[in-house]
Amino acid sequence: MNFFTIVIRSLWRRPVRTSLTLVGISIGIAAVITLVGLASGYEKSVVRQLDVIGIDVIVSNMEGGMMPKAFEESMQAEIAKLPDTEKVTTVLMQMLSIEDAPMMMVSGREWEGFTWDQLEVVEGRMPKDASEKAVVMGRLAAEVLKKTVGDIVQIETDQFQVVGIVDGQSVVENGAIILALPLFQEVSGYQGKVNFIDIKVPKNTDSGRITALCEKIEALFPEVRAVKAGEVVGTSQGFRIARAMSWSTSLLAIIVGVLGVMNTMLMTVFERTHEIGILLALGWKRRRIVFLVLCESAILGLLGGMVGVILGAGALKILELTPTIRGMLEPDLSGGLVIQAICIAVGVGVVSGLYPAWRSSRLTPSLALQG
Amino acid sequence: MTYDSPHAHVPGPVFEADQLVKEYDDGRVPALRGVTFRIEDGEFVSIIGPSGCGKSTLLNMLGALDRPTSGSLKFKGTSIPDLADPAKYRGQEVGFIFQAFHLLPTFTVEENVQIPMFELPWSRAQRKKRAGELLDAVGLSHRLGHLPTKLSGGERQRAAIARSLANEPGVLLADEPTGNLDSQNAVQIMDLLCRLQTEHRITLLLVSHDLHVASHANRIIRMKDGQIVSESRPGDVAHSPQA
């Protein structure tokens, strides 16, 4: 028998209560894994999309939240005149409810802009020109909407023919409906407006010059922000909101977990007053008893965390398959997030055990022996 | 018996109490009212008296399980209430034997005996070996893996005695050790305690309300209403069972 035998034996004395507490913590940790995994997956999907398309600088007005506010399309011509801009193209992107899908990315792209280049036609063809009332669909979007080439898709009040299914090489691209910019401006009521200007800079342009380009754009058009593609996730308000929301919701779940463990540990200490009295009488130091209680609560946290990670991973997998999420983002369950979640769970355990441990250390041995 | 106490037996008092007072409930309930006594090293002293006379309270003070309200109480010249490390004192200087045994129900007999050893820098194997020796010494080597609930009252108390000796204390404090036992088991337990005390010159303080049990001691202290009313040696007429 070693010290941890005593810890485990103490926890296992009330298996039902220990299990219920584990469930409480694991739900909290599963919430962390699911929400943060979704937010992180969203970020990674966007980063991957930008990387695949080859965008170096994004010009947008991120005050609008998840989707940037629209601005004048005419900015593009002015920006294209600036040095270190090889290609400049415009995009109007909206999240819309399309037929049975509650949310889907619809991307109106300047005809012949470089954002069309990476799309590989899997089936059918690309639209003939900017005026053809046609769309191409990412593979996942077509799967979610159950469309094939030749089908009709309704966007807002208008109908478009699906002329091609494309592989955009990223989840966001594959989950989108893509059409020529003027068509989407018309159907969405944003004539002459876009919400992204994507810029490709010449190869081997150093980071300092790209930064200077961003500053020039912002000086010319104070209403927008120009951000290097790699920094979009860190600076975008939408991403920050998503991250904050996922963590704050997780925090609530964690607080519930803390209260659950604290309640269990307090009950344990109250129930074991007599036993703690015996340990004190047998020469156990108060700090060893504090350590015993903290170890018990930390192990509860650790086990709850491990179960929570499994539950969270399962929830992410299920969400990944739901029509709402499918094609929009790729839930991310990284090793870092798992470690973070387990650390949180152990922290929850330790924090929850502090007060019960302190209570146990304050017991007078003779009174504790009386129970 | 392989138990050997490491404590040096030096002449002089092990315990010295002077005008020891203990009050509960802000002085409304006096438990000890000016108790004064000396206990020499290697003595076997019984403290007897009716329920509520303060004998268990006194034992708690001696074991640093509680603090006196006033007065002086010393262990080998050191004030017990002012001990820098009362846990070390409880774990290594004294061993407790309780009327209700106080064995931990979810641990086996052998594990119960190991519990006090966790404060010593002993390995798992050393703890196991020592527990085995102690249980052998009290005649429980066949019960090592049993839970306390599977033991008879006498066996439980023998396990508790083995546990009290775990850290080789120089003093045993026994609070009504036969109080929950039938007469046959009570005799066996007292024989065991007497043997341990005699063989190893452990200072043994035994609290009892039973004069038969108390009469095993070299000296008997009689208490009433929180005070010592008399002291005697076995054989004195005043302390025969009839008295």
Side-chain angles (χ1 to χ4, degrees):
Chain A
M1 181 177 72
N2 58 33
F3 182 75
F4 286 97
T5 314
I6 301 175
V7 174
I8 300 295
R9 205 75 68 81
S10 305
L11 281 174
W12 206 239
R13 186 160 30 176
R14 302 262 184 207
V16 175
R17 192 171 60 199
T18 300
S19 306
L20 285 175
T21 310
L22 279 184
V23 169
I25 305 171
S26 57
I27 287 173
I29 294 304
V32 173
I33 290 281
T34 311
L35 294 170
V36 178
L38 279 178
S40 161
Y42 179 49
E43 289 177 9
K44 286 201 172 169
S45 303
V46 170
V47 169
R48 167 102 181 116
Q49 181 200 20
L50 299 179
D51 187 45
V52 164
I53 298 176
I55 297 168
D56 296 310
V57 174
I58 293 179
V59 178
S60 64
N61 179 345
M62 282 307 226
E63 284 170 13
M66 292 300 284
M67 270 297 146
K69 274 166 77 173
F71 51 84
E72 291 303 322
E73 189 181 359
S74 56
M75 280 185 199
Q76 180 198 12
E78 297 298 315
I79 290 171
K81 290 177 195 162
L82 294 172
D84 296 321
T85 54
E86 187 182 298
K87 291 179 181 173
V88 180
T89 188
T90 49
V91 176
L92 176 64
M93 196 137 64
Q94 297 292 322
M95 300 281 272
L96 298 176
S97 169
I98 305 290
E99 299 185 359
D100 290 339
M103 259 207 306
M104 184 158 281
M105 190 83 81
V106 183
S107 176
R109 299 179 178 184
E110 182 193 8
W111 186 246
E112 294 186 331
F114 72 87
T115 48
W116 290 91
D117 295 351
Q118 94 294 349
L119 300 175
E120 284 176 15
V121 177
V122 176
E123 201 184 329
R125 59 173 175 84
M126 285 292 195
K128 285 178 197 151
D129 51 44
S131 61
E132 186 187 3
K133 213 163 178 191
V135 299
V136 291
M137 280 187 173
R139 284 188 300 125
L140 290 171
E143 204 178 298
V144 169
L145 293 173
K146 300 184 181 72
K147 299 287 184 191
T148 55
V149 173
D151 286 349
I152 299 295
V153 63
Q154 174 124 8
I155 300 176
E156 300 289 55
T157 55
D158 223 337
Q159 291 188 329
F160 295 81
Q161 188 178 25
V162 180
V163 294
I165 309 294
V166 294
D167 181 1
Q169 297 161 59
S170 74
V171 174
V172 177
E173 288 281 274
N174 282 338
I177 297 175
I178 301 161
L179 68 167
L181 178 62
L183 295 173
F184 190 41
Q185 284 173 324
E186 193 182 331
V187 77
S188 61
Y190 281 103
Q191 280 91 346
K193 305 260 183 181
V194 293
N195 54 7
F196 288 103
I197 295 178
D198 298 333
I199 302 168
K200 193 177 253 189
V201 300
K203 267 188 183 166
N204 304 324
T205 306
D206 68 51
S207 177
R209 291 184 69 91
I210 301 176
T211 306
L213 172 64
C214 293
E215 286 168 0
K216 277 180 202 157
I217 294 168
E218 288 183 7
L220 268 174
F221 304 106
E223 68 269 35
V224 296
R225 288 203 62 200
V227 182
K228 288 185 202 170
E231 295 169 4
V232 166
V233 168
T235 53
S236 157
Q237 199 183 354
F239 288 118
R240 273 183 283 176
I241 290 170
R243 213 176 297 145
M245 279 174 66
S246 61
W247 275 110
S248 52
T249 313
S250 301
L251 186 68
L252 285 177
I254 289 167
I255 289 170
V256 172
V258 166
L259 293 176
V261 182
M262 195 179 285
N263 179 53
T264 296
M265 293 314 296
L266 267 178
M267 292 280 289
T268 303
V269 167
F270 288 146
E271 274 179 10
R272 284 161 57 195
T273 299
H274 178 68
E275 181 183 315
I276 290 168
I278 295 172
L279 295 175
L280 288 169
L282 297 180
W284 274 40
K285 293 187 194 305
R286 290 181 190 277
R287 67 166 177 263
R288 185 176 293 275
I289 288 169
V290 166
F291 187 56
L292 176 71
V293 175
L294 287 179
C295 280
E296 285 177 28
S297 55
I299 285 178
L300 265 181
L302 177 68
L303 295 176
M306 286 158 65
V307 175
V309 166
I310 294 167
L311 289 179
L316 278 180
K317 204 74 207 160
I318 292 167
L319 282 172
E320 200 178 348
L321 300 174
T322 59
T324 317
I325 305 287
R326 190 160 168 74
M328 280 183 50
L329 58 91
E330 205 169 15
D332 176 44
L333 181 62
S334 63
L337 179 58
V338 169
I339 291 169
Q340 228 173 346
I342 297 220
C343 288
I344 289 171
V346 174
V348 162
V350 172
V351 169
S352 315
L354 284 175
Y355 177 63
W358 178 79
R359 284 288 301 247
S360 68
S361 75
R362 306 287 297 169
L363 292 170
T364 303
S366 61
L367 295 178
L369 274 172
Q370 292 165 14
Chain B
M1 172 68 191
T2 54
Y3 169 73
D4 291 305
S5 171
H7 296 267
H9 295 284
V10 287
V14 175
F15 291 112
E16 266 184 297
D18 186 20
Q19 291 302 311
L20 198 63
V21 172
K22 178 65 184 177
E23 295 167 343
Y24 293 105
D25 202 9
D26 292 331
R28 284 189 284 271
V29 183
L32 295 177
R33 310 183 206 209
V35 171
T36 299
F37 63 87
R38 268 167 73 106
I39 291 168
E40 302 299 326
D41 191 19
E43 256 195 303
F44 177 1
V45 178
S46 289
I47 302 169
I48 63 165
S51 288
C53 72
K55 51 190 191 302
S56 292
T57 302
L58 179 58
L59 210 65
N60 285 342
M61 304 287 141
L62 292 169
L65 294 178
D66 208 346
R67 298 172 66 84
T69 306
S70 65
S72 153
L73 180 61
K74 290 179 178 170
F75 170 75
K76 293 183 178 172
T78 304
S79 169
I80 294 175
D82 300 321
L83 284 169
D85 190 350
K88 187 176 179 185
Y89 168 76
R90 287 192 291 264
Q92 294 176 29
E93 301 291 353
V94 299
F96 288 95
I97 301 163
F98 303 98
Q99 179 179 359
F101 322 126
H102 289 337
L103 296 169
L104 301 178
T106 50
F107 295 90
T108 64
V109 170
E110 186 190 33
E111 288 167 343
N112 263 285
V113 176
Q114 287 185 43
I115 294 277
M117 302 177 198
F118 277 86
E119 290 295 345
L120 297 179
W122 289 356
S123 68
R124 191 174 164 168
Q126 283 174 307
R127 287 197 297 266
K128 193 173 169 63
K129 180 171 179 278
R130 171 113 185 106
E133 287 171 359
L134 289 166
L135 286 166
D136 188 37
V138 298
L140 282 182
S141 52
H142 61 299
R143 294 290 216 173
L144 300 182
H146 288 76
L147 290 174
T149 47
K150 304 291 178 195
L151 269 54
S152 70
E155 286 175 321
R156 287 184 207 183
Q157 194 58 294
R158 278 191 275 156
I161 290 170
R163 183 184 63 182
S164 74
L165 298 170
N167 293 346
E168 309 176 31
V171 176
L172 281 186
L173 303 173
D175 190 359
E176 304 272 12
T178 59
N180 276 358
L181 303 179
D182 57 42
S183 56
Q184 193 185 347
N185 273 311
V187 169
Q188 287 175 0
I189 289 298
M190 283 315 300
D191 286 347
L192 177 62
L193 283 174
C194 289
R195 181 162 60 83
L196 290 170
Q197 193 274 329
T198 310
E199 285 177 5
H200 304 285
R201 287 206 61 214
I202 296 170
T203 306
L204 174 59
L205 264 84
L206 183 144
V207 159
S208 178
H209 64 275
D210 182 341
L211 197 52
H212 279 295
V213 171
S215 61
H216 287 81
N218 313 123
R219 184 155 61 104
I220 298 171
I221 296 174
R222 186 185 289 269
M223 288 185 71
K224 192 178 175 190
D225 297 332
Q227 291 176 308
I228 292 176
V229 290
S230 66
E231 284 190 40
S232 63
R233 306 265 165 196
D236 290 357
V237 176
H239 292 101
S240 67
Q242 288 77 13

